[in-house]
Amino acid sequence: MLSDEPDRRRATPRICRDPLSDRPVFVAPQRGGKPDDEALASRFGDVSSGPSNWCPFCAGNERRTPADVGRVPADASLPWRARIVPNTYPITTGQPAAEATDEDRAAGGRHEVVIESPQHHDSILAIEADAWRDVWSLCRERLAIIADEDRHAWATIFKNSGRKAGSSLEHVHSQLVAVDIVPPVIRGELATLANDTAVFPRLIAAARAGGRIVSERGGLVALVPPAPRQPYETWIVSEQPEPHLHATAAEQGAALADLTRDFVGRLERLAPGSHFNWWLHQAPFARSAADARMAAGWHWHLEILPRLSEFAGFELGTGCHITTVSAEDSAQRLRDAAL
Ligand SMILES: [Zn+2]
Ligand SMILES: [Zn+2]
């Protein structure tokens, strides 16, 4: 019915594009109802009751999330150690509307939550090393399925750890998003790669020469980039060209798990209780031979950004950042913070 159209439009996650900056904005009105820990505690128990009474991610509360789309172990008769579920408050829709303009259209894609432990931990450091490797293995499996769906332009995994990093639920989790646009940051990195096919090897070589390597394992390098936005910003970069995380060898997935755990341990020793974000930068999914050639020189990387100070007017208004610790000092302190 035509009269339902405005309601349906309001309920469907959409992408609008700012005409001046070309900046995409995801409009997801349902996320306005997204509860935080306090709201869940008062709805399902009382604030003083244990999280297993109210946290939707704790074992025993699976009915409070949608059914999982992936789990470890795969055998559903065994207790789960990690699971991936559709996000109840998605920024994308699985059924994009046919009508679309570049300025305002349905946001096709997937938005899922990776619940990284059945227990109510607030830090990945509480997860055993083997179980943490299983989490990354599950993520890689899910990313492979999403890549095969052949309708997404790009996908990522990101983590918001702590309130300053935008997290509303403390139970360890990350998010997986597939979208039908290539985000501006990725378009920018692709444009750099198009002009300089050796940009990634040079990034790694410069970090070696400049004393900015934090640690290395299994073909991955954890380095402080030359222009970190915050103290201790670190990127974990594939040494070999590899456009997508799901396509890498299993050993690299395990190395990524170990290096992320290692980094969070170092950060915790340097600045206890720090909040941080990380996000995966993969190449866009290739739709043509030209896309595939373009992506061939990409090295997937995970950018980890501690949130030690707030982004304010200068950062938001200019896209520039101010930091108080140089890249070289950040790397030295991170190396010294080894166990
Ligand atoms: Zn929980
Ligand atoms: Zn990047």
Side-chain angles (χ1 to χ4, degrees):
M1 283 194 309
L2 273 179
S3 58
D4 289 341
E5 181 67 9
D7 285 344
R8 191 183 62 74
R9 272 178 63 95
R10 269 199 293 276
T12 303
R14 306 183 73 77
I15 299 176
C16 300
R17 197 173 284 277
D18 177 68
L20 193 57
S21 63
D22 200 35
R23 178 176 53 233
V25 173
F26 285 74
V27 184
Q30 290 152 314
R31 286 180 70 76
K34 188 165 67 84
D36 59 13
D37 282 329
E38 287 72 28
L40 287 164
S42 58
R43 189 186 310 169
F44 293 113
D46 65 74
V47 180
S48 60
S49 65
S52 62
N53 289 310
W54 49 262
C55 173
F57 297 164
C58 279
N61 295 340
E62 292 80 4
R63 68 189 181 286
R64 292 191 188 145
T65 66
D68 48 59
V69 293
R71 80 198 291 282
V72 179
D75 183 346
S77 68
L78 298 171
W80 59 275
R81 296 196 300 276
R83 56 197 290 261
I84 300 180
V85 300
N87 195 312
T88 306
Y89 304 93
I91 64 164
T92 58
T93 171
Q95 292 159 334
E99 40 76 40
T101 67
D102 276 351
E103 289 74 33
D104 182 1
R105 62 185 178 80
R110 288 194 177 276
H111 187 181
E112 299 174 347
V113 180
V114 184
I115 305 169
E116 296 164 336
S117 169
Q119 292 173 281
H120 195 83
H121 300 310
D122 66 357
S123 166
I124 64 156
L125 296 176
I127 301 173
E128 294 292 330
D130 283 352
W132 182 238
R133 287 181 177 186
D134 286 346
V135 170
W136 279 102
S137 163
L138 177 66
C139 290
R140 279 159 32 83
E141 282 171 25
R142 187 65 190 151
L143 283 169
I145 290 168
I146 281 172
D148 279 349
E149 287 181 327
D150 230 17
R151 61 186 168 88
H152 311 294
W154 183 77
T156 188
I157 287 179
F158 65 93
K159 175 182 275 296
N160 305 332
S161 183
R163 294 265 172 173
K164 273 191 182 175
S167 178
S168 54
L169 302 174
E170 68 179 5
H171 188 128
V172 280
H173 69 285
S174 48
Q175 299 179 60
L176 196 158
V177 166
V179 287
D180 61 3
I181 61 165
V182 177
V185 171
I186 299 301
R187 277 191 273 130
E189 292 189 7
L190 266 181
T192 304
L193 182 62
N195 287 325
D196 176 4
T197 53
V199 63
F200 284 104
R202 194 153 37 245
L203 181 82
I204 295 169
R208 287 196 203 291
R212 289 185 282 102
I213 302 286
V214 178
S215 51
E216 298 187 59
R217 186 174 304 206
L220 305 182
V221 180
L223 57 85
V224 175
R229 287 159 279 196
Q230 294 263 294
Y232 316 129
E233 175 171 357
T234 294
W235 298 355
I236 299 174
V237 186
S238 170
E239 267 197 290
Q240 297 301 316
E242 188 66 78
H244 300 113
L245 175 61
H246 70 263
T248 58
E251 302 78 59
Q252 272 203 347
L256 178 59
D258 294 348
L259 285 175
T260 47
R261 209 163 179 283
D262 174 70
F263 174 83
V264 175
R266 290 172 196 264
L267 180 64
E268 186 61 28
R269 286 186 283 281
L270 282 171
S274 293
H275 299 172
F276 63 88
N277 299 103
W278 70 47
W279 50 80
L280 174 67
H281 274 175
Q282 310 195 95
F285 297 126
R287 296 253 170 91
S288 65
D291 285 353
R293 272 197 304 280
M294 181 84 150
W298 187 280
H299 296 222
W300 66 259
H301 52 281
L302 189 82
E303 300 185 3
I304 312 176
L305 188 68
R307 301 299 299 271
L308 303 185
S309 60
E310 302 286 350
F311 293 156
F314 185 69
E315 288 82 356
L316 297 172
T318 65
C320 305
H321 290 264
I322 303 167
T323 187
T324 53
V325 182
S326 73
E328 292 72 21
D329 286 351
S330 280
Q332 185 64 54
R333 292 185 203 173
L334 283 163
R335 280 196 300 274
D336 291 346
L339 261 184

